[in-house]
Amino acid sequence: MSDELRQREFAERFGAAIETWRFEVNSYWTRNSYFAVFQGGAFVALWTLLQKQYSVTAVGMSLFGVLLTLVWFVNNGRMHEYVEYWWNRAGEIEDEFEVKAERRLILGYEDRRKHKHCLRYSTLVQLAPCLFLCGWLWVFCLSVSACLHIKLTTL
């Protein structure tokens, strides 16, 4: 295969892998934003219910919030797998076409990244749903406490 054909094939395959990776990253952030906005609004609504002493409804809604946050965790995990797959695939294409070390985009970046950070970025991204989960569980405990207080005072 001629060098020109080989370079064109590399450009097509590497470009497709990077474009797919970019799409997955954008999708990842879009979904995270939607989850955060939706959960933020639901949390405000739940807090309003609790203040108006709809504690039984607040218990149910907080459990629903916990469930949605667990879905968020699972979704983040799956999306990270897709992002990582396409990033690694682009690196494999660099290997396959024997790109010189100083010109490598993926593998060169990976080597530099490993020495800079002790925590993976995907781990840090999971902090947002973790904070929401803590909030939902805290409001769940407040709601249950309010329900028990109402039942004890009516006896």
Side-chain angles (χ1 to χ4, degrees):
M1 184 182 299
S2 75
D3 278 348
E4 187 178 317
L5 267 162
R6 189 164 166 77
Q7 285 178 345
R8 189 176 305 142
E9 183 183 355
F10 171 75
E12 287 174 11
R13 290 178 58 198
F14 187 76
I18 290 296
E19 272 309 304
T20 306
W21 171 80
R22 185 176 293 130
F23 171 79
E24 293 295 343
V25 168
N26 288 337
S27 177
Y28 184 73
W29 282 111
T30 300
R31 288 182 183 159
N32 262 323
S33 297
Y34 288 153
F35 270 111
V37 167
F38 178 76
Q39 290 223 357
F43 198 78
V44 168
L46 175 63
W47 191 254
T48 302
L49 285 173
L50 195 57
Q51 285 183 330
K52 295 188 178 201
Q53 299 185 3
Y54 290 104
S55 46
V56 175
T57 306
V59 168
M61 193 167 167
S62 60
L63 287 175
F64 184 66
V66 167
L67 178 67
L68 285 179
T69 305
L70 295 176
V71 168
W72 190 1
F73 273 115
V74 171
N75 184 63
N76 274 356
R78 292 294 294 165
M79 289 303 296
H80 177 71
E81 288 173 12
Y82 293 135
V83 167
E84 192 169 45
Y85 170 81
W86 285 105
W87 181 258
N88 291 335
R89 184 67 193 115
E92 291 167 4
I93 293 169
E94 283 183 331
D95 273 347
E96 187 179 323
F97 283 86
E98 300 170 348
V99 175
K100 292 179 182 174
E102 64 274 1
R103 298 193 70 205
R104 288 180 180 229
L105 174 67
I106 306 300
L107 297 175
Y109 174 78
E110 284 299 312
D111 290 341
R112 290 187 306 275
R113 183 184 64 86
K114 286 178 184 172
H115 300 292
K116 280 186 175 179
H117 310 289
C118 58
L119 282 176
R120 293 185 65 162
Y121 191 69
S122 59
T123 304
L124 293 174
V125 169
Q126 291 288 39
L127 288 177
C130 186
L131 290 172
F132 274 101
L133 183 62
C134 290
W136 289 118
L137 291 173
W138 177 63
V139 173
F140 172 76
C141 291
L142 287 175
S143 303
V144 169
S145 173
C147 283
L148 292 174
H149 179 71
I150 290 169
K151 286 185 180 181
L152 289 176
T153 57
T154 57
L155 290 177

PDB file of all heavy atoms in Angstrom, residues 34-53:
ATOM      1  N   TYR A  34     -28.523  17.199  32.322  1.00  0.00           N
ATOM      2  CA  TYR A  34     -29.961  16.944  32.454  1.00  0.00           C
ATOM      3  C   TYR A  34     -30.286  16.297  33.785  1.00  0.00           C
ATOM      4  O   TYR A  34     -31.242  16.678  34.453  1.00  0.00           O
ATOM      5  CB  TYR A  34     -30.473  16.057  31.311  1.00  0.00           C
ATOM      6  CG  TYR A  34     -30.537  16.742  29.970  1.00  0.00           C
ATOM      7  CD1 TYR A  34     -30.420  16.002  28.806  1.00  0.00           C
ATOM      8  CD2 TYR A  34     -30.718  18.110  29.848  1.00  0.00           C
ATOM      9  CE1 TYR A  34     -30.487  16.616  27.551  1.00  0.00           C
ATOM     10  CE2 TYR A  34     -30.781  18.723  28.618  1.00  0.00           C
ATOM     11  CZ  TYR A  34     -30.671  17.964  27.478  1.00  0.00           C
ATOM     12  OH  TYR A  34     -30.741  18.577  26.258  1.00  0.00           O
ATOM     13  N   PHE A  35     -29.498  15.311  34.167  1.00  0.00           N
ATOM     14  CA  PHE A  35     -29.732  14.651  35.458  1.00  0.00           C
ATOM     15  C   PHE A  35     -29.616  15.655  36.599  1.00  0.00           C
ATOM     16  O   PHE A  35     -30.456  15.680  37.500  1.00  0.00           O
ATOM     17  CB  PHE A  35     -28.728  13.511  35.680  1.00  0.00           C
ATOM     18  CG  PHE A  35     -29.182  12.176  35.178  1.00  0.00           C
ATOM     19  CD1 PHE A  35     -28.572  11.585  34.089  1.00  0.00           C
ATOM     20  CD2 PHE A  35     -30.207  11.484  35.807  1.00  0.00           C
ATOM     21  CE1 PHE A  35     -28.975  10.351  33.624  1.00  0.00           C
ATOM     22  CE2 PHE A  35     -30.625  10.245  35.356  1.00  0.00           C
ATOM     23  CZ  PHE A  35     -30.004   9.674  34.257  1.00  0.00           C
ATOM     24  N   ALA A  36     -28.581  16.483  36.570  1.00  0.00           N
ATOM     25  CA  ALA A  36     -28.363  17.440  37.659  1.00  0.00           C
ATOM     26  C   ALA A  36     -29.485  18.475  37.735  1.00  0.00           C
ATOM     27  O   ALA A  36     -29.989  18.770  38.827  1.00  0.00           O
ATOM     28  CB  ALA A  36     -27.008  18.139  37.483  1.00  0.00           C
ATOM     29  N   VAL A  37     -29.896  19.009  36.595  1.00  0.00           N
ATOM     30  CA  VAL A  37     -30.966  20.017  36.595  1.00  0.00           C
ATOM     31  C   VAL A  37     -32.280  19.398  37.073  1.00  0.00           C
ATOM     32  O   VAL A  37     -32.984  19.974  37.904  1.00  0.00           O
ATOM     33  CB  VAL A  37     -31.119  20.657  35.192  1.00  0.00           C
ATOM     34  CG1 VAL A  37     -32.394  21.458  35.078  1.00  0.00           C
ATOM     35  CG2 VAL A  37     -29.912  21.517  34.886  1.00  0.00           C
ATOM     36  N   PHE A  38     -32.604  18.226  36.543  1.00  0.00           N
ATOM     37  CA  PHE A  38     -33.842  17.566  36.944  1.00  0.00           C
ATOM     38  C   PHE A  38     -33.822  17.247  38.436  1.00  0.00           C
ATOM     39  O   PHE A  38     -34.802  17.508  39.155  1.00  0.00           O
ATOM     40  CB  PHE A  38     -34.059  16.278  36.143  1.00  0.00           C
ATOM     41  CG  PHE A  38     -35.299  15.548  36.548  1.00  0.00           C
ATOM     42  CD1 PHE A  38     -36.545  15.995  36.137  1.00  0.00           C
ATOM     43  CD2 PHE A  38     -35.225  14.424  37.358  1.00  0.00           C
ATOM     44  CE1 PHE A  38     -37.703  15.333  36.526  1.00  0.00           C
ATOM     45  CE2 PHE A  38     -36.374  13.754  37.754  1.00  0.00           C
ATOM     46  CZ  PHE A  38     -37.614  14.212  37.340  1.00  0.00           C
ATOM     47  N   GLN A  39     -32.718  16.695  38.903  1.00  0.00           N
ATOM     48  CA  GLN A  39     -32.654  16.340  40.318  1.00  0.00           C
ATOM     49  C   GLN A  39     -32.655  17.578  41.210  1.00  0.00           C
ATOM     50  O   GLN A  39     -33.233  17.557  42.291  1.00  0.00           O
ATOM     51  CB  GLN A  39     -31.426  15.477  40.586  1.00  0.00           C
ATOM     52  CG  GLN A  39     -31.565  14.116  39.989  1.00  0.00           C
ATOM     53  CD  GLN A  39     -31.107  13.016  40.894  1.00  0.00           C
ATOM     54  OE1 GLN A  39     -30.622  13.242  41.989  1.00  0.00           O
ATOM     55  NE2 GLN A  39     -31.286  11.806  40.442  1.00  0.00           N
ATOM     56  N   GLY A  40     -32.017  18.647  40.746  1.00  0.00           N
ATOM     57  CA  GLY A  40     -32.045  19.894  41.522  1.00  0.00           C
ATOM     58  C   GLY A  40     -33.466  20.418  41.672  1.00  0.00           C
ATOM     59  O   GLY A  40     -33.891  20.799  42.765  1.00  0.00           O
ATOM     60  N   GLY A  41     -34.222  20.411  40.576  1.00  0.00           N
ATOM     61  CA  GLY A  41     -35.630  20.847  40.632  1.00  0.00           C
ATOM     62  C   GLY A  41     -36.473  19.943  41.506  1.00  0.00           C
ATOM     63  O   GLY A  41     -37.304  20.412  42.293  1.00  0.00           O
ATOM     64  N   ALA A  42     -36.268  18.642  41.391  1.00  0.00           N
ATOM     65  CA  ALA A  42     -37.019  17.687  42.213  1.00  0.00           C
ATOM     66  C   ALA A  42     -36.673  17.860  43.686  1.00  0.00           C
ATOM     67  O   ALA A  42     -37.543  17.744  44.555  1.00  0.00           O
ATOM     68  CB  ALA A  42     -36.726  16.256  41.754  1.00  0.00           C
ATOM     69  N   PHE A  43     -35.410  18.164  43.963  1.00  0.00           N
ATOM     70  CA  PHE A  43     -34.990  18.352  45.350  1.00  0.00           C
ATOM     71  C   PHE A  43     -35.649  19.593  45.954  1.00  0.00           C
ATOM     72  O   PHE A  43     -36.102  19.569  47.099  1.00  0.00           O
ATOM     73  CB  PHE A  43     -33.460  18.460  45.422  1.00  0.00           C
ATOM     74  CG  PHE A  43     -32.909  18.230  46.790  1.00  0.00           C
ATOM     75  CD1 PHE A  43     -32.792  16.946  47.298  1.00  0.00           C
ATOM     76  CD2 PHE A  43     -32.506  19.295  47.573  1.00  0.00           C
ATOM     77  CE1 PHE A  43     -32.291  16.731  48.570  1.00  0.00           C
ATOM     78  CE2 PHE A  43     -32.003  19.091  48.846  1.00  0.00           C
ATOM     79  CZ  PHE A  43     -31.891  17.808  49.348  1.00  0.00           C
ATOM     80  N   VAL A  44     -35.739  20.649  45.167  1.00  0.00           N
ATOM     81  CA  VAL A  44     -36.416  21.876  45.633  1.00  0.00           C
ATOM     82  C   VAL A  44     -37.895  21.592  45.886  1.00  0.00           C
ATOM     83  O   VAL A  44     -38.460  22.018  46.905  1.00  0.00           O
ATOM     84  CB  VAL A  44     -36.230  23.024  44.618  1.00  0.00           C
ATOM     85  CG1 VAL A  44     -37.150  24.192  44.916  1.00  0.00           C
ATOM     86  CG2 VAL A  44     -34.783  23.471  44.590  1.00  0.00           C
ATOM     87  N   ALA A  45     -38.519  20.847  44.964  1.00  0.00           N
ATOM     88  CA  ALA A  45     -39.938  20.498  45.140  1.00  0.00           C
ATOM     89  C   ALA A  45     -40.130  19.651  46.391  1.00  0.00           C
ATOM     90  O   ALA A  45     -41.074  19.857  47.163  1.00  0.00           O
ATOM     91  CB  ALA A  45     -40.448  19.747  43.914  1.00  0.00           C
ATOM     92  N   LEU A  46     -39.233  18.725  46.610  1.00  0.00           N
ATOM     93  CA  LEU A  46     -39.322  17.864  47.796  1.00  0.00           C
ATOM     94  C   LEU A  46     -39.158  18.686  49.070  1.00  0.00           C
ATOM     95  O   LEU A  46     -39.880  18.474  50.043  1.00  0.00           O
ATOM     96  CB  LEU A  46     -38.254  16.770  47.727  1.00  0.00           C
ATOM     97  CG  LEU A  46     -38.139  15.872  48.942  1.00  0.00           C
ATOM     98  CD1 LEU A  46     -39.425  15.084  49.149  1.00  0.00           C
ATOM     99  CD2 LEU A  46     -36.977  14.928  48.779  1.00  0.00           C
ATOM    100  N   TRP A  47     -38.220  19.605  49.069  1.00  0.00           N
ATOM    101  CA  TRP A  47     -38.002  20.437  50.242  1.00  0.00           C
ATOM    102  C   TRP A  47     -39.249  21.271  50.544  1.00  0.00           C
ATOM    103  O   TRP A  47     -39.631  21.429  51.702  1.00  0.00           O
ATOM    104  CB  TRP A  47     -36.785  21.340  50.019  1.00  0.00           C
ATOM    105  CG  TRP A  47     -36.362  22.018  51.271  1.00  0.00           C
ATOM    106  CD1 TRP A  47     -36.544  23.323  51.601  1.00  0.00           C
ATOM    107  CD2 TRP A  47     -35.713  21.400  52.386  1.00  0.00           C
ATOM    108  NE1 TRP A  47     -36.042  23.568  52.851  1.00  0.00           N
ATOM    109  CE2 TRP A  47     -35.521  22.407  53.352  1.00  0.00           C
ATOM    110  CE3 TRP A  47     -35.271  20.116  52.657  1.00  0.00           C
ATOM    111  CZ2 TRP A  47     -34.898  22.159  54.574  1.00  0.00           C
ATOM    112  CZ3 TRP A  47     -34.648  19.873  53.875  1.00  0.00           C
ATOM    113  CH2 TRP A  47     -34.478  20.886  54.809  1.00  0.00           C
ATOM    114  N   THR A  48     -39.918  21.756  49.509  1.00  0.00           N
ATOM    115  CA  THR A  48     -41.162  22.516  49.674  1.00  0.00           C
ATOM    116  C   THR A  48     -42.241  21.629  50.282  1.00  0.00           C
ATOM    117  O   THR A  48     -42.967  22.055  51.195  1.00  0.00           O
ATOM    118  CB  THR A  48     -41.631  23.080  48.319  1.00  0.00           C
ATOM    119  OG1 THR A  48     -40.587  23.899  47.784  1.00  0.00           O
ATOM    120  CG2 THR A  48     -42.887  23.907  48.470  1.00  0.00           C
ATOM    121  N   LEU A  49     -42.348  20.396  49.791  1.00  0.00           N
ATOM    122  CA  LEU A  49     -43.330  19.452  50.354  1.00  0.00           C
ATOM    123  C   LEU A  49     -43.060  19.211  51.834  1.00  0.00           C
ATOM    124  O   LEU A  49     -43.982  19.157  52.647  1.00  0.00           O
ATOM    125  CB  LEU A  49     -43.282  18.113  49.610  1.00  0.00           C
ATOM    126  CG  LEU A  49     -43.902  18.062  48.232  1.00  0.00           C
ATOM    127  CD1 LEU A  49     -43.619  16.708  47.584  1.00  0.00           C
ATOM    128  CD2 LEU A  49     -45.396  18.304  48.313  1.00  0.00           C
ATOM    129  N   LEU A  50     -41.805  19.047  52.159  1.00  0.00           N
ATOM    130  CA  LEU A  50     -41.440  18.767  53.555  1.00  0.00           C
ATOM    131  C   LEU A  50     -41.759  19.966  54.444  1.00  0.00           C
ATOM    132  O   LEU A  50     -42.267  19.793  55.557  1.00  0.00           O
ATOM    133  CB  LEU A  50     -39.961  18.405  53.637  1.00  0.00           C
ATOM    134  CG  LEU A  50     -39.486  17.756  54.927  1.00  0.00           C
ATOM    135  CD1 LEU A  50     -40.274  16.488  55.226  1.00  0.00           C
ATOM    136  CD2 LEU A  50     -38.008  17.432  54.837  1.00  0.00           C
ATOM    137  N   GLN A  51     -41.521  21.162  53.967  1.00  0.00           N
ATOM    138  CA  GLN A  51     -41.817  22.358  54.753  1.00  0.00           C
ATOM    139  C   GLN A  51     -43.317  22.546  54.958  1.00  0.00           C
ATOM    140  O   GLN A  51     -43.747  23.078  55.969  1.00  0.00           O
ATOM    141  CB  GLN A  51     -41.223  23.599  54.094  1.00  0.00           C
ATOM    142  CG  GLN A  51     -39.733  23.699  54.277  1.00  0.00           C
ATOM    143  CD  GLN A  51     -39.171  24.974  53.682  1.00  0.00           C
ATOM    144  OE1 GLN A  51     -39.703  25.499  52.712  1.00  0.00           O
ATOM    145  NE2 GLN A  51     -38.087  25.455  54.251  1.00  0.00           N
ATOM    146  N   LYS A  52     -44.105  22.088  53.991  1.00  0.00           N
ATOM    147  CA  LYS A  52     -45.562  22.192  54.117  1.00  0.00           C
ATOM    148  C   LYS A  52     -46.155  20.979  54.825  1.00  0.00           C
ATOM    149  O   LYS A  52     -47.357  20.786  54.821  1.00  0.00           O
ATOM    150  CB  LYS A  52     -46.194  22.388  52.735  1.00  0.00           C
ATOM    151  CG  LYS A  52     -45.780  23.706  52.121  1.00  0.00           C
ATOM    152  CD  LYS A  52     -46.536  23.993  50.881  1.00  0.00           C
ATOM    153  CE  LYS A  52     -46.063  25.351  50.381  1.00  0.00           C
ATOM    154  NZ  LYS A  52     -46.959  25.984  49.504  1.00  0.00           N
ATOM    155  N   GLN A  53     -45.262  20.161  55.363  1.00  0.00           N
ATOM    156  CA  GLN A  53     -45.612  19.004  56.192  1.00  0.00           C
ATOM    157  C   GLN A  53     -46.364  17.908  55.432  1.00  0.00           C
ATOM    158  O   GLN A  53     -47.231  17.245  55.988  1.00  0.00           O
ATOM    159  CB  GLN A  53     -46.368  19.459  57.435  1.00  0.00           C
ATOM    160  CG  GLN A  53     -45.509  20.379  58.280  1.00  0.00           C
ATOM    161  CD  GLN A  53     -46.160  20.768  59.574  1.00  0.00           C
ATOM    162  OE1 GLN A  53     -47.242  20.321  59.905  1.00  0.00           O
ATOM    163  NE2 GLN A  53     -45.473  21.600  60.338  1.00  0.00           N
TER     164      GLN A  53
END
